[in-house]
Amino acid sequence: MSTTDRIRYGNLSAPGMKGLGGLPLPVFGAALLALVITLFLMVLAEWWIGLIAGVVCAALLAPAAIRVRDDRTLYGRAGLAVAGAHARRTGTNRLVAGPAGRTPDGTFRLPGIAAQSEVKDYETAFGLPFAIVAIPSTDHYSVVLEVHPTGNDVVDQEVIDGQVAQWGAWLTLLGQEDDIVGAAATVETSVDSGLRLRRSVLTPVHDGASDFGKAVAGVVSGGFGAKMPAISTRIVLTFTGKSDGKSRPRREMVEEIANRLPELMDGLASTGAGSHVRPSTSQDLTDYVRAAYDPSVAADIELARAGGGTGLSWTDAGPAFHQVEFDHYLHDRACSMVWTLGGVPRGVFYDTSLKRLLSPDKGVARKRVTLLYRPIPAARTSSMVDRKERNATMVSGAGRTNRSGNTAAARAAQQTADEEAAGAGLTLFGMIVTATVVNSGDDLSRATREDLRAARQMIRSQSAKARLKLRVALNSSDSAFVAGLPLGIVLPEHTRIPASVTDGLL
């Protein structure tokens, strides 16, 4: 099948409505208010008083409209700089945990927005064990599913197109569930220790086998697997315990999740997630998070899991040391750079657009790509789509600049309305990309700086090929790092302005 015959995906648009000139609606509304105040003062007071008021209002509003690097406003960029300087001056960007640290209970809890998280094991109605990650501050309960995608190297294009369609249908199904507030798909590449291959080769060797057979098995197991890339994929579902403004008891939430989980897992069978979908247990999540914060212990953790288990608890999963810098994040014996999606991707996409970004890379101990989804409830999609369409039509008809862009936005809004009327769902999405390299000390060594520079160039190149606008998480890489882990953290629920307020502007 040629490239022109393949299915293309697109019609992505930024959330929120715009005013004239492409200004965000709140900024446009403030500009109108400033204009009214200026005219009011000119008419009822002296003209020069109104002129001064207009100049002051323009000076205050301009930084909210002017975009600088990474599509951030001047206010946004200045706010990041001020917050980072304050954190470094007060020492809040640095954490030392454990018995000799600053944590009150002397444990190694996850830092920041995940500090209150709890993990416990439960069972479904069919006796299948699963773990729930609970965050009391947001009343969220998350389930992590381990999947094993088949890939698309030897799969017919028609099958791949069907899998993509089924994935979209599965996300649409989540929007029909009022208590599902988030989903995520995490693909992580790391360096394999080779332990699993050695065990799979040596375990079937019979005790009475010949010396030659044992020698061959030993050579094979010792020569393959080590230093090879390992790929793991996890899907997270996040439920809310709030219903009609009230919190439901945890026991009730656990019972409901246990009853619905098997059906949600069955829905992944035709999406390319593979035939083996397994919920993660608390021990699985603890070991995974511990290795994410300190990749140097990953081989030891894998060896312990192959034996009797690591014995780590959730309060042991966090870093013993972390320090947030302007554009990177030091944690234990590693250093990470984190990127977030900084704008609407341009152009059309194919099913292979993210293939290079998801592939392993040399020099990076761990690379993690997390796609974040927030399904819009089906009861709200119609009103949101209608508002978006009316706003796009108004801007395209009244705007005198960027006519082609406004017209394209109006066509996209019309297409979205048509697809929603045909039964399609509406989903907000984002992306977090994390590249982790090994670091030997509390400060960056020269080799680590070179690895970080190479990782930055690599991610920039890969995101450009995928037509993605990624920007570095400045002075907030610790929060972005933990949000990129498959723990079900819904970032808008952890902001000062809750998502219930900001979503009303969509």
Side-chain angles (χ1 to χ4, degrees):
M1 180 180 294
S2 63
T3 303
T4 56
D5 296 332
R6 291 172 55 188
I7 295 179
R8 297 180 296 176
Y9 305 91
N11 196 34
L12 307 177
S13 60
M17 294 181 287
K18 291 185 178 182
L20 299 181
L23 295 174
L25 194 59
V27 178
F28 179 70
L32 286 180
L33 179 61
L35 180 60
V36 171
I37 293 175
T38 300
L39 295 177
F40 181 81
L41 292 177
M42 282 185 173
V43 173
L44 299 183
E46 299 292 338
W47 65 270
W48 57 270
I49 296 179
L51 181 61
I52 292 176
V55 171
V56 172
C57 290
L60 293 175
L61 290 175
I66 298 175
R67 300 281 175 173
V68 291
R69 186 176 179 182
D70 294 332
D71 202 34
R72 290 186 172 97
T73 64
L74 287 176
Y75 276 138
R77 186 80 180 190
L80 287 173
V82 171
H86 175 73
R88 285 186 287 273
R89 184 174 61 254
T90 58
T92 55
N93 70 319
R94 186 182 179 95
L95 170 68
V96 180
R102 304 174 185 175
T103 52
D105 54 359
T107 60
F108 300 93
R109 291 185 176 274
L110 271 63
I113 56 179
Q116 294 183 350
S117 61
E118 304 171 359
V119 178
K120 291 185 179 180
D121 287 316
Y122 302 94
E123 287 187 356
T124 66
F126 302 99
L128 183 66
F130 71 97
I132 289 182
V133 182
I135 301 181
S137 60
T138 56
D139 206 4
H140 285 176
Y141 303 86
S142 301
V143 179
V144 183
L145 306 175
E146 295 183 19
V147 298
H148 302 276
T150 56
N152 58 0
D153 290 336
V154 291
V155 182
D156 293 337
Q157 188 61 43
E158 291 78 6
V159 176
I160 296 174
D161 295 337
Q163 292 174 345
V164 175
Q166 290 297 326
W167 174 254
W170 190 74
L171 291 177
T172 301
L173 176 64
L174 299 184
Q176 298 174 0
E177 307 285 346
D178 294 337
D179 55 351
I180 295 182
V181 295
T186 300
V187 179
E188 181 175 279
T189 59
S190 58
V191 179
D192 197 347
S193 63
L195 176 63
R196 287 175 296 178
L197 179 60
R198 289 196 295 270
R199 287 178 59 86
S200 63
V201 172
L202 292 178
T203 300
V205 177
H206 195 272
D207 294 337
S210 65
D211 295 338
F212 176 77
K214 293 180 180 180
V216 170
V219 171
V220 171
S221 63
F224 293 93
K227 305 299 182 181
M228 295 296 290
I231 302 178
S232 62
T233 306
R234 290 171 173 84
I235 294 176
V236 188
L237 292 170
T238 302
F239 300 79
T240 180
K242 296 180 180 179
S243 178
D244 298 329
K246 299 180 180 179
S247 296
R248 302 166 62 182
R250 179 171 298 192
R251 178 180 55 82
E252 181 180 339
M253 286 299 304
V254 169
E255 183 178 354
E256 181 171 347
I257 293 174
N259 292 332
R260 294 166 56 185
L261 187 58
E263 181 181 358
L264 293 170
M265 292 171 57
D266 291 339
L268 291 171
S270 55
T271 63
S275 59
H276 183 60
V277 179
R278 184 183 72 88
S280 297
T281 63
S282 60
Q283 193 64 62
D284 295 334
L285 294 176
T286 300
D287 297 341
Y288 172 84
V289 173
R290 182 70 192 98
Y293 275 102
D294 190 358
S296 63
V297 302
D300 297 332
I301 289 177
E302 188 174 353
L303 182 62
R305 288 176 61 88
T310 61
L312 295 173
S313 63
W314 188 245
T315 54
D316 299 323
F321 161 82
H322 93 168
Q323 183 170 317
V324 183
E325 298 295 345
F326 182 69
D327 61 351
H328 60 273
Y329 177 40
L330 293 165
H331 47 92
D332 283 350
R333 288 165 288 188
C335 181
S336 296
M337 288 193 67
V338 189
W339 293 261
T340 60
L341 192 63
V344 179
R346 288 188 172 272
V348 297
F349 304 90
Y350 299 96
D351 56 272
T352 56
S353 295
L354 294 180
K355 184 176 182 179
R356 185 65 190 92
L357 185 62
L358 299 176
S359 300
D361 290 287
K362 295 181 179 179
V364 178
R366 286 181 178 265
K367 184 172 73 170
R368 184 167 49 255
V369 180
T370 300
L371 290 169
L372 305 172
Y373 300 95
R374 289 177 59 207
I376 302 299
R380 292 180 52 204
T381 55
S382 297
S383 58
M384 289 181 58
V385 168
D386 290 343
R387 287 200 304 268
K388 191 77 172 179
E389 184 181 8
R390 290 195 301 267
N391 179 252
T393 303
M394 182 270 295
V395 173
S396 63
R400 297 183 179 275
T401 59
N402 194 20
R403 288 182 177 272
S404 60
N406 294 335
T407 303
R411 287 198 301 266
Q414 178 62 48
Q415 181 180 349
T416 301
D418 295 340
E419 293 176 353
E420 191 277 334
L426 197 63
T427 304
L428 300 175
F429 76 96
M431 178 182 290
I432 298 177
V433 180
T434 306
T436 302
V437 299
V438 178
N439 185 47
S440 56
D442 294 348
D443 200 1
L444 289 181
S445 62
R446 181 175 181 181
T448 304
R449 293 182 185 275
E450 292 296 329
D451 292 339
L452 286 179
R453 187 178 297 109
R456 181 194 292 268
Q457 296 174 352
M458 172 193 68
I459 298 298
R460 182 181 301 172
S461 174
Q462 294 173 358
S463 61
K465 292 180 180 178
R467 298 177 177 238
L468 298 175
K469 293 182 178 179
L470 295 182
R471 62 186 183 189
V472 179
L474 302 179
N475 285 323
S476 59
S477 50
D478 57 334
S479 299
F481 182 94
V482 73
L485 295 173
L487 300 178
I489 293 177
V490 183
L491 281 175
E493 298 291 345
H494 293 268
T495 57
R496 293 184 181 274
I497 303 177
S500 58
V501 176
T502 57
D503 287 350
L505 302 175
L506 300 181

